[in-house]
Amino acid sequence: EKIILQSIRLTDADLISLADSGSVEHRCLIAERPRISSSISDAVSLRAEPPVISILAANHTAVLSRDSFERCLEAAEGDSVIGERLSLRDDLPDDIVSQLYTHVSKVIRDQLASRYTIAPDKLDAVTEFAAESAQIEDGDDAAARLIEQMQFAGTLNGEFAIKALSEGRYIIFDHAIAY
């Protein structure tokens, strides 16, 4: 355990090989190492194991590749701890911030908005406007277009679907859960 966490003799190739052939515990230890490279973050996050992703998201000295960020984001959709850990990173790409914004609590959204200079009302207003527009337009087709646009923009989530249902927007709800 201590060797994996602290050894300076382990090369990137050694760590990638260990991530590939080792256990989830090995990948957790590798993810916890300071200053791991993007190729190592790719290797440890490849299986998208929640404990590994959680540790990797919290490791602020790790360099995350685009794929690693996307795996962290995907895991954050179902795990608020991972979402919070990811939101505290200083190196989030803008599009990851926007997508993460839709998957975290209001407190974390406000923190993201202040750290990444996103107007807090911006994404909420866009989502609300799009939902209202779909209600006014021709029902099923408009709802389908709305959901497709939201999915493409990364703003479609379960919270939106539940809100649509609670507001009686059944066509939008149907399309949201079908997507």
Side-chain angles (χ1 to χ4, degrees):
E1 180 178 309
K2 196 172 189 177
I3 292 172
I4 295 172
L5 272 174
Q6 298 176 351
S7 176
I8 58 172
R9 295 187 186 261
L10 290 173
T11 65
D12 280 13
D14 294 332
L15 293 168
I16 290 168
S17 177
L18 182 58
D20 185 45
S21 63
S23 67
V24 66
E25 289 80 16
H26 290 116
R27 285 184 287 284
C28 284
L29 291 168
I30 296 167
E32 194 174 348
R33 283 178 64 99
R35 296 174 299 284
I36 60 173
S37 68
S38 62
S39 56
I40 294 172
S41 74
D42 267 346
V44 298
S45 68
L46 189 60
R47 296 179 183 167
E49 299 155 315
V52 177
I53 297 293
S54 184
I55 292 168
L56 185 61
N59 184 347
H60 295 251
T61 66
V63 177
L64 271 61
S65 68
R66 176 69 193 185
D67 288 339
S68 296
F69 274 121
E70 288 177 358
R71 290 181 193 118
C72 288
L73 178 64
E74 198 170 301
E77 292 178 23
D79 188 322
S80 62
V81 171
I82 294 174
E84 182 175 0
R85 288 179 171 187
L86 188 59
S87 74
L88 294 173
R89 294 187 65 91
D90 292 326
D91 57 350
L92 294 174
D94 289 343
D95 64 315
I96 297 291
V97 172
S98 296
Q99 293 175 60
L100 181 61
Y101 185 91
T102 64
H103 300 298
V104 293
S105 70
K106 173 133 177 56
V107 171
I108 296 173
R109 282 196 306 266
D110 291 344
Q111 290 172 356
L112 281 171
S114 68
R115 291 180 64 234
Y116 286 93
T117 62
I118 298 172
D121 299 354
K122 183 179 178 186
L123 290 175
D124 291 338
V126 168
T127 302
E128 188 63 32
F129 174 75
E132 288 173 5
S133 296
Q135 242 185 346
I136 295 168
E137 290 182 27
D138 187 307
D140 198 55
D141 291 340
R145 282 193 307 277
L146 165 68
I147 298 305
E148 186 176 323
Q149 289 170 351
M150 290 182 72
Q151 178 64 25
F152 180 76
T155 59
L156 181 63
N157 60 25
E159 184 178 327
F160 175 80
I162 297 300
K163 183 176 178 183
L165 178 64
S166 69
E167 293 176 355
R169 299 174 181 175
Y170 302 113
I171 295 171
I172 294 172
F173 172 77
D174 288 345
H175 283 278
I177 62 168
Y179 213 89

